[in-house]
Amino acid sequence: MSHELANKSCSQFVYAVAEKAPTPGGGAVAAYVGALSAALGAMTGQYTLGKRKYAEYEEDVQRAVNHLNELSEELVTLMDADAQAFEPLSRAYALPSSDPTKPAVLEEATRGALEVPRKVVGCICKIVPFLEELSIKGTKMLQSDVGCAASLAAAALECAALNVFVNTGSLADREFAAAVEEDIDAQLSEFGTRAHSVYVHVNDRLRERD
């Protein structure tokens, strides 16, 4: 898959989001913010590796860096996947209401459109445990970056969830829609809370006074 969106400069991406166009929108932004969360965590790990003070955590931190880099790359890929998933949905909505195939085509396209933000949610949930680990085992000099990463993860998680819900709301198969929403709600409840806890933990450490 091409990285058309990800290969834009930061300013180009911002301007593209601001244009009067359906993509890139909230789904791509959620993936990008999630990728930045993973990247900040990976950077913290990189600065921790090789330091004698954190030698006992070397293996754990290296593992975290490797996984965070993989998750960041996956989320970058999902930026473009989100835009591409919208195209069939746009075509489905454009079908004339008299077309007997429209309901089925629209249902299939809607299911396809929600799968990308659903994957984004899954990726971000995998990021959070590594941020928890780095808030304890990562270099103290970059703990603010771990806290930022946690805040970004929480925000990206909520944004991606909204991009799932905007699609489940229009599905004809309400049983499937309810199951998807229940799954996303469970992940939001657990990992959104855990990401916020990392932020609180970091905030408390940074503001400790002797």
Side-chain angles (χ1 to χ4, degrees):
M1 180 178 294
S2 68
H3 286 177
E4 181 181 345
L5 290 177
N7 287 335
K8 291 181 181 294
S9 69
C10 291
S11 59
Q12 287 174 332
F13 181 70
V14 170
Y15 298 150
V17 171
E19 289 177 359
K20 187 179 180 181
T23 60
V29 170
Y32 185 40
V33 172
L36 290 174
S37 171
L40 277 174
M43 180 185 72
T44 301
Q46 294 282 15
Y47 274 100
T48 305
L49 293 171
K51 299 290 178 63
R52 284 187 297 174
K53 183 177 179 179
Y54 304 99
E56 63 180 303
Y57 304 133
E58 185 85 3
E59 186 175 331
D60 292 339
V61 172
Q62 184 63 68
R63 175 177 49 81
V65 169
N66 292 343
H67 284 292
L68 287 168
N69 281 331
E70 289 173 1
L71 288 164
S72 183
E73 176 61 26
E74 185 173 355
L75 284 161
V76 165
T77 299
L78 288 171
M79 290 172 62
D80 282 287
D82 182 78
Q84 291 166 11
F86 181 78
E87 292 175 8
L89 187 59
S90 179
R91 290 195 298 269
Y93 274 115
L95 290 172
S97 56
S98 58
D99 188 331
T101 68
K102 184 171 184 175
V105 173
L106 190 56
E107 183 83 353
E108 181 179 358
T110 302
R111 283 196 181 212
L114 70 82
E115 283 305 319
V116 176
R118 195 176 182 185
K119 288 178 181 177
V120 172
V121 168
C123 284
I124 296 167
C125 290
K126 293 176 184 177
I127 291 170
V128 174
F130 294 116
L131 299 180
E132 291 174 328
E133 194 168 19
L134 288 166
S135 72
I136 299 169
K137 302 175 182 178
T139 173
K140 188 175 181 180
M141 297 299 293
L142 272 76
Q143 283 303 297
S144 61
D145 292 292
V146 176
C148 289
S151 292
L152 291 175
L157 192 59
E158 292 179 355
C159 291
L162 289 176
N163 279 271
V164 173
F165 299 150
V166 73
N167 288 296
T168 54
S170 60
L171 285 172
D173 187 342
R174 300 314 302 160
E175 183 177 352
F176 173 76
V180 171
E181 290 178 357
E182 183 179 359
D183 176 55
I184 296 298
D185 280 337
Q187 292 179 83
L188 272 173
S189 178
E190 177 179 354
F191 292 96
T193 300
R194 287 170 65 174
H196 181 67
S197 293
V198 172
Y199 167 81
V200 171
H201 170 73
V202 169
N203 181 64
D204 288 347
R205 284 187 67 187
L206 294 178
R207 301 175 70 178
E208 284 177 355
R209 299 293 183 265
D210 295 330

